Amino acid sequence: MTSLPEESPSLIREGDREAAVRRLQEAYAEGLIPHEVLDEHLHQVLSAKTRSELASALVALPEEQPGSTATIAAAGGRIKRRGAWRVPRVLKVESAYGRVRLDLSRAVIEHPIVDIELQLGTDGARITVPRDAVVDVEGLSTGWKDLRYKIPRQPRPGGPTIRISGVMGYGRLKIRHALR
């Protein structure tokens, strides 16, 4: 009986491809590469079959900054951030039983794109974003209750993009734009 061939270590996974696309988009959003280079490199990434092909599409990009990811975790209790706090490029929020309150309205946001990854259990979360922020919730999976988010009628250009992803258990996520 023959065994199935093991996956070649040089072949890429979809997660690798998605991470490469995200890096290219961030480099473009930060003004590090022009639109033409973005198009060319996206084509390379999407058609790559091996890790070396994927790496060649990313070789011209600057290295990712270390420390641009932070994790806030609590098994129970509350997670609360407000005022003038510094928002990292990637913020991971993990809570099994507690409430989460993130107020980004007066926070220091240095990145054009901020990813907030939620791993929440039974309680809900409320996120207040700046008035001019663009919110993307495509990567969020809600379990028990629906998401509450009303897109502003007159979006203001120039704000950061807040991408919210992850898993919500039994709680509800409410997202609102700051009034001022």
Side-chain angles (χ1 to χ4, degrees), residues 43-63:
H43 177 70
Q44 284 180 320
V45 165
L46 295 174
S47 62
K49 302 230 183 308
T50 64
R51 291 184 191 275
S52 61
E53 291 173 352
L54 193 63
S56 69
L58 302 176
V59 73
L61 296 180
E63 291 293 318

Side-chain angles (χ1 to χ4, degrees), residues 4-180:
L4 294 174
E6 291 185 24
E7 184 177 334
S8 171
S10 63
L11 294 179
I12 59 173
R13 297 172 299 170
E14 276 308 304
D16 297 333
R17 189 182 314 276
E18 290 169 4
V21 168
R22 188 170 34 250
R23 280 207 52 213
L24 286 169
Q25 290 171 334
E26 290 166 5
Y28 175 72
E30 293 173 6
L32 300 174
I33 58 173
H35 181 72
E36 296 80 21
V37 173
L38 173 68
D39 285 344
E40 178 185 330
H41 287 260
L42 278 175
H43 177 70
Q44 284 180 320
V45 165
L46 295 174
S47 62
K49 302 230 183 308
T50 64
R51 291 184 191 275
S52 61
E53 291 173 352
L54 193 63
S56 69
L58 302 176
V59 73
L61 296 180
E63 291 293 318
E64 289 184 289
Q65 297 177 356
S68 61
T69 299
T71 301
I72 305 171
R78 295 182 182 170
I79 294 176
K80 190 176 203 178
R81 296 291 185 272
R82 64 180 212 183
W85 61 288
R86 187 172 305 277
V87 180
R89 166 66 190 83
V90 178
L91 178 62
K92 296 181 179 185
V93 181
E94 302 169 359
S95 177
Y97 303 106
R99 241 184 305 188
V100 174
R101 301 291 183 260
L102 299 177
D103 186 347
L104 306 173
S105 63
R106 292 185 290 153
V108 178
I109 301 175
E110 299 171 336
H111 307 280
I113 299 172
V114 173
D115 285 312
I116 299 176
E117 298 175 13
L118 301 175
Q119 296 295 324
L120 305 180
T122 60
D123 216 333
R126 182 172 47 210
I127 301 174
T128 303
V129 299
R131 189 173 186 184
D132 58 351
V134 175
V135 177
D136 177 5
V137 292
E138 290 298 316
L140 183 68
S141 172
T142 57
W144 190 255
K145 295 186 178 180
D146 292 333
L147 165 74
R148 286 200 179 162
Y149 173 58
K150 187 186 282 188
I151 298 172
R153 288 185 210 154
Q154 299 174 345
R156 296 172 176 244
T161 298
I162 310 294
R163 295 190 299 207
I164 301 172
S165 62
V167 178
M168 295 284 302
Y170 294 102
R172 172 173 280 143
L173 174 61
K174 296 178 185 178
I175 302 170
R176 70 179 190 93
H177 288 266
L179 299 175
R180 53 189 161 124

